[in-house]
Amino acid sequence: MGTMSEIYELNLRYGMNPHQKQAKLTNGGKPLPIRVLNGEPGFINLLDALNAFQLVRELRKATGLPAAASFKHVSPAGAAVYSPLTPELAKAYFVDGMELSELATAYARARGADRMSSFGDAAALSDIVDVPTAKLLKREVSDLVVAPGYTEEALAILKEKKGGKFLILEIDPDYVPDPIETRTVFGLTMQQERNDAAIDDSVFETIVTENKELPESAKRDLLVALVTLKYTQSNSICYALDGQTIGIGAGQQSRIHCTRLAGDKADRWYLRQHPTALNMKFRPGLSRAEQNNAIDLWLEDVLTPVEQKSWEQCFEEVPPRLTPEEKREWLKGLKNVSYGSDAFLPFRDNLDRASRSGVKYVIQAGSSLRDEEVVKAANEYGMVMVYSGVRLFHH
């Protein structure tokens, strides 16, 4: 990590907002485990970076695979481990024809989970950033990257981004924080034991449904969901498939609203792979961000006349819209999805909604007053449900 041990304090651009001028990062008089290689960090940049890196570090440990996360507003928009991309996903993620390493593929998946939300993200990588990952990052609208290191060529590529102002952070992957953490709210200081709950295969020991068949692919996806939830603002729900999140519901006051939000995102993720979406003929010069917005509006059932006219101008050929029936038919292909909850499921309505987005595997804390009702719902849908025994609230 070079001279990182010599850095004890880092001045920040500003705090949560520009008018909160005085802001800095310290480590109680001890050396900082993070250093700035390029750019100038702000308070929220570091909140995103420190949460995101913990997520990918834990995913790497839990699965043994290169991991990536795309963070916005201190919750992940997407997270993934390496899994090969289908041609359809590569096209939906705007990476078809690109040379991708395993790490770059993980980031393409994390970014592709919810491309609308990932616009201007904080990218976190579990491994040393290589050239393919740097090239992918350089072309996307992103605010920062945090990783344990960078190859010389990859760092040079990233330093060219945003006119040389792209924030590049290097973090010690072996850093161990103090077991007690503190937070100041309204001038008062609270402290607690860090959430060091280990997310590994031990969480699969208690299967409570009649169906107990849990394939290795589902275990991987449930681990992705659970580790992601550990760093998502609560209440939170995560749908995962093929080594990546496909829908995250964060920070909702009601769990069913988390489930609906995450399920709607999972549905949109799958609908973006519809042949009509993959073969849209966009107007020349339309940026990837504008193409993303156009595809998102294509999925809306109702647009205002003004909105419709503006949307049509994005295309050389205006694509036909899918009817509600066509959408439902396409979504029948979304299967074997894993679903995680950061706490117990209080009502069966969560599984009723999850079933409509292809959920087959469920992991939750358990110990609700209505466990029997929730297990009954899982059995009715033929789901496999696991009690992790651990609550993962994060605020």
Side-chain angles (χ1 to χ4, degrees):
M1 300 298 294
T3 59
M4 182 173 294
S5 60
E6 299 174 7
I7 304 170
Y8 289 83
E9 184 173 297
L10 184 61
N11 289 319
L12 308 180
R13 269 202 327 274
Y14 48 74
M16 289 277 190
N17 301 287
H19 64 270
Q20 294 169 272
K21 301 294 185 185
Q22 295 188 42
K24 64 182 178 180
L25 176 71
T26 61
N27 192 21
K30 293 179 289 188
L32 294 174
I34 191 167
R35 67 173 172 174
V36 179
L37 302 185
N38 197 70
E40 187 180 1
F43 195 92
I44 294 176
N45 290 150
L46 288 181
L47 284 176
D48 278 336
L50 295 173
N51 277 282
F53 184 73
Q54 288 181 84
L55 192 164
V56 298
R57 183 170 75 166
E58 290 194 33
L59 271 185
R60 187 61 155 118
K61 183 178 180 181
T63 67
L65 297 165
S70 173
F71 256 62
K72 281 286 293 291
H73 298 294
V74 204
S75 277
V81 295
Y82 167 70
S83 180
L85 291 172
T86 63
E88 292 78 15
L89 270 182
K91 193 166 186 180
Y93 292 171
F94 293 87
V95 296
D96 49 321
M98 290 189 72
E99 178 189 346
L100 298 178
S101 61
E102 291 189 356
L103 187 65
T105 302
Y107 180 64
R109 282 188 173 276
R111 178 100 185 185
D114 183 357
R115 287 189 62 87
M116 294 285 289
S117 296
S118 285
F119 184 85
D121 69 342
L125 291 311
S126 65
D127 294 23
I128 291 174
V129 175
D130 54 16
V131 168
T133 308
K135 286 182 176 179
L136 178 56
L137 270 165
K138 186 183 178 185
R139 70 199 285 266
E140 297 287 9
V141 178
S142 184
D143 282 353
L144 72 91
V145 60
V146 58
Y150 303 81
T151 67
E152 188 175 339
E153 191 177 351
L155 185 60
I157 291 169
L158 290 171
K159 282 186 174 181
E160 296 173 353
K161 185 174 172 65
K162 294 182 75 169
K165 295 181 179 180
F166 184 54
L167 180 57
I168 306 172
L169 302 173
E170 183 181 46
I171 191 165
D172 181 357
D174 300 318
Y175 172 66
V176 179
D178 289 340
I180 301 297
E181 58 186 15
T182 61
R183 178 182 298 188
T184 303
V185 179
F186 198 41
L188 305 175
T189 300
M190 300 184 290
Q191 70 175 37
Q192 66 169 355
E193 183 181 349
R194 287 189 69 251
N195 181 7
D196 59 0
I199 310 299
D200 54 31
D201 280 355
S202 66
V203 299
F204 303 126
E205 291 174 359
T206 308
I207 300 178
V208 296
T209 44
E210 294 167 359
N211 186 350
K212 301 185 186 299
E213 188 176 338
L214 198 59
E216 289 303 312
S217 59
K219 289 182 179 179
R220 173 202 59 197
D221 294 346
L222 289 170
L223 287 172
V224 168
L226 217 53
V227 173
T228 298
L229 290 167
K230 188 177 176 182
Y231 296 99
T232 301
Q233 301 300 302
S234 299
N235 281 327
S236 55
I237 292 291
C238 180
Y239 294 65
L241 181 66
D242 202 17
Q244 68 164 89
T245 66
I246 61 172
I248 299 171
Q252 301 303 301
Q253 291 78 10
S254 167
R255 189 155 302 278
I256 183 59
H257 290 147
C258 293
T259 294
R260 290 171 183 165
L261 175 60
D264 290 349
K265 288 189 174 189
D267 292 349
R268 293 176 92 88
W269 170 84
Y270 194 66
L271 284 163
R272 286 176 68 99
Q273 299 170 58
H274 190 280
T276 302
L278 296 180
N279 293 294
M280 287 180 176
K281 293 180 171 56
F282 294 104
R283 172 174 53 80
L286 204 68
S287 70
R288 282 188 303 279
E290 290 170 320
Q291 291 177 33
N292 276 322
N293 292 344
I295 296 170
D296 196 65
L297 284 175
W298 171 72
L299 290 169
E300 291 292 300
D301 292 326
V302 179
L303 299 182
T304 68
V306 173
E307 201 175 19
Q308 176 73 20
K309 183 178 179 181
S310 175
W311 175 74
E312 290 177 354
Q313 291 172 356
C314 295
F315 303 95
E316 282 190 332
E317 295 179 19
V318 178
R321 289 189 177 279
L322 299 182
T323 65
E325 293 74 22
E326 288 172 325
K327 288 180 180 179
R328 284 195 294 270
E329 187 62 30
W330 178 255
L331 287 170
K332 288 179 182 177
L334 182 56
K335 299 176 180 177
N336 299 318
V337 174
S338 292
Y339 166 105
S341 172
D342 66 355
F344 64 70
L345 298 178
F347 298 100
R348 65 165 291 153
D349 55 1
N350 290 279
L351 296 187
D352 291 325
R353 172 60 188 89
S355 72
R356 303 200 326 248
S357 297
V359 167
K360 177 78 172 180
Y361 309 102
V362 177
I363 192 161
Q364 58 137 324
S367 298
S368 162
L369 290 173
R370 297 178 182 82
D371 273 354
E372 187 177 340
E373 173 190 321
V374 175
V375 172
K376 181 174 182 290
N379 286 332
E380 288 172 354
Y381 289 112
M383 296 175 178
V384 182
M385 187 160 68
V386 182
Y387 285 173
S388 66
V390 60
R391 194 178 79 174
L392 296 170
F393 280 173
H394 183 63
H395 294 279

